Amino acid sequence: MNVENCHNSTAKCWLIYAMGGGWGHLVRALALGRIAGTCRPVLILCNSPYAADILLYAAGEEPQPIVEGCYLEAIPHTASFDETRDRVREVIFQNPHDLLIVDTFPRGLGGELADLLPQMKSTPRVFVHRDLDPNYVRAKDLSRFVAENFELILIPGTLEDPPLAHLPQVRRTAPWSIRTASELPDRATARQFLRLNPQDDTPAIVVLAAGRDEELQVYGELTVALAQAFPQAMVRCLSAERPPQCPPSLWVFHWPGIECLPAADVVVGGGGYNSVYECVAVGVPLVAFAFARQYDRQGRRLLRANAAVRWVEDIPGAIAAVAQFLRDPGTREPRSSAFVNGAVEAVNLIVEAIADGESNATGNQ
């Protein structure tokens, strides 16, 4: 898709600032964008290293409804701070838009929005408030900054009570998902995505591997350890990049990953936003590590999840938790036949906020 289409459209364009590494920012933006994109063009600004993997995957022989209605403006994740800052400014000022949505970092990933937002009072601005380290919030006086620069604050999730939840413009939604419940495949189809026999009901253990290089190393070792510990099960490592030590026969990439979860009896991964909320939504047990992040608090998210989410510290602990889930199905939460995709509600809330703002502006004239 060409971004120029966004410029030439008579529909109002939404710009989503989704800067930040990993899958979380990008998937949240796509989850919201594909819903909003049915009525208007949506431009997503990101620097996720996985953006290229998504675009390549979507360009396969069979069209995939992955970024339909969304136009990705991807800044290389290897770009310097100055290069990233300059490109962000160019995208914001050179791409006409009628709404700015900022995910997670209200001042920008590197503070590049701090002096821009006060200049954009005529453009409605929405802040997507995922959990943040309170020390960061205090150091940057985010409570004041967000209150002054955003008309609407959306909290997409039920596990977290993020530090700016007290502000009056906050609205909560269910977690945002890249697929709604009706779009998820059945178990047999999901097994095919994992390169498993759809007719075979052998237990499947899925490793969701992403993150930093040292974490991919752990996931590679974990995949091998799980295959050795559970020869009666099928193990698959689901990742855009094959982790070191992971045998090619155990590695698979399918986008979006949530479409593989109906096939899983147990998932092993990190405590990030997507992994936790997608497993809870689908109703599959999750064994998770809490990896250190500069802003995100994965351990807090895991502690607030349900009984089908187990926080473990190392590979032996992960193997023990997987064994318990496989041995005692009664420890699992019931699988969800229908979960609420908060992205739909979020789009409605944004549209209502824009309409209210326009109404108030007209009334004050």
Side-chain angles (χ1 to χ4, degrees), residues 230-276:
F230 303 101
Q232 77 282 12
M234 301 299 295
V235 177
R236 287 293 183 271
C237 179
L238 180 62
S239 176
E241 176 185 352
R242 181 168 65 89
Q245 299 188 30
C246 177
S249 61
L250 300 184
W251 171 65
V252 64
F253 177 48
H254 175 85
W255 167 260
I258 191 174
E259 293 183 339
C260 298
L261 297 188
D265 291 275
V266 184
V267 170
V268 187
Y273 181 94
N274 291 326
S275 298
V276 174

Side-chain angles (χ1 to χ4, degrees), residues 253-301:
F253 177 48
H254 175 85
W255 167 260
I258 191 174
E259 293 183 339
C260 298
L261 297 188
D265 291 275
V266 184
V267 170
V268 187
Y273 181 94
N274 291 326
S275 298
V276 174
Y277 279 119
E278 289 179 359
C279 287
V280 170
V282 178
V284 59
L286 170 65
V287 175
F289 301 94
F291 290 114
R293 293 291 183 266
Q294 185 174 0
Y295 302 107
D296 192 19
R297 294 181 288 177
Q298 293 191 0
R300 190 166 183 262
R301 184 178 296 115

Side-chain angles (χ1 to χ4, degrees), residues 298-309:
Q298 293 191 0
R300 190 166 183 262
R301 184 178 296 115
L302 294 174
L303 286 175
R304 294 184 170 214
N306 60 33
V309 176

Side-chain angles (χ1 to χ4, degrees), residues 9-339:
S9 173
T10 58
K12 293 185 177 180
C13 181
W14 289 7
L15 173 58
I16 303 179
Y17 176 99
M19 298 288 288
W23 284 108
H25 309 278
L26 180 57
V27 172
R28 271 193 302 276
L30 287 170
L32 186 73
R34 69 188 295 262
I35 302 297
T38 60
C39 299
R40 62 193 58 79
V42 176
L43 177 60
I44 297 174
L45 174 61
C46 68
N47 66 339
S48 171
Y50 300 115
D53 296 304
I54 291 177
L55 292 174
L56 287 174
Y57 194 84
E61 296 180 359
E62 297 183 6
Q64 300 282 337
I66 296 173
V67 290
E68 188 172 329
C70 302
Y71 308 90
L72 292 184
E73 179 68 43
I75 300 174
H77 69 280
T78 55
S80 69
F81 172 81
D82 289 340
E83 291 171 337
T84 300
R85 178 199 59 206
D86 292 344
R87 186 60 187 140
V88 167
R89 290 173 178 267
E90 289 175 6
V91 171
I92 289 178
F93 286 117
Q94 294 180 8
N95 290 272
H97 55 277
D98 297 278
L99 173 73
L100 176 64
I101 302 170
V102 179
D103 181 273
T104 303
F105 306 113
R107 300 176 73 258
L109 185 61
E112 70 276 11
L113 299 182
D115 61 340
L116 296 183
L117 293 182
Q119 305 173 36
M120 303 173 64
K121 293 296 185 181
S122 61
T123 302
R125 284 145 295 153
V126 176
F127 175 48
V128 180
H129 187 22
R130 194 211 65 194
D131 190 34
L132 288 169
D133 187 332
N135 294 323
Y136 167 65
V137 173
R138 286 191 294 270
K140 299 300 181 180
D141 194 14
L142 291 190
S143 183
R144 177 195 59 79
F145 183 84
V146 170
E148 293 177 353
N149 289 284
F150 293 92
E151 291 80 14
L152 176 65
I153 303 171
L154 296 175
I155 298 179
T158 56
L159 298 178
E160 298 143 344
D161 188 21
L164 302 180
H166 64 282
L167 293 176
Q169 60 266 58
V170 163
R171 299 294 181 271
R172 293 178 179 268
T173 73
W176 300 354
S177 175
I178 194 68
R179 290 289 183 262
T180 61
S182 63
E183 293 175 311
L184 289 182
D186 58 24
R187 183 175 173 85
T189 303
R191 286 181 68 89
Q192 288 181 301
F193 292 152
L194 293 171
R195 297 203 311 268
L196 299 176
N197 184 345
Q199 307 304 322
D200 185 358
D201 204 34
T202 300
I205 303 169
V206 177
V207 178
L208 296 180
R212 300 167 180 167
D213 290 343
E214 61 270 23
E215 293 162 3
L216 285 177
Q217 179 75 29
V218 171
Y219 283 126
E221 297 172 2
L222 173 65
T223 301
V224 173
L226 288 170
Q228 294 173 345
F230 303 101
Q232 77 282 12
M234 301 299 295
V235 177
R236 287 293 183 271
C237 179
L238 180 62
S239 176
E241 176 185 352
R242 181 168 65 89
Q245 299 188 30
C246 177
S249 61
L250 300 184
W251 171 65
V252 64
F253 177 48
H254 175 85
W255 167 260
I258 191 174
E259 293 183 339
C260 298
L261 297 188
D265 291 275
V266 184
V267 170
V268 187
Y273 181 94
N274 291 326
S275 298
V276 174
Y277 279 119
E278 289 179 359
C279 287
V280 170
V282 178
V284 59
L286 170 65
V287 175
F289 301 94
F291 290 114
R293 293 291 183 266
Q294 185 174 0
Y295 302 107
D296 192 19
R297 294 181 288 177
Q298 293 191 0
R300 190 166 183 262
R301 184 178 296 115
L302 294 174
L303 286 175
R304 294 184 170 214
N306 60 33
V309 176
R310 301 286 177 81
W311 180 1
V312 297
E313 301 285 350
D314 50 29
I315 290 178
I319 291 175
V322 169
Q324 184 177 4
F325 278 126
L326 292 179
R327 181 174 60 250
D328 184 8
T331 60
R332 310 178 198 174
E333 291 290 312
R335 286 185 178 267
S336 301
S337 58
F339 60 88

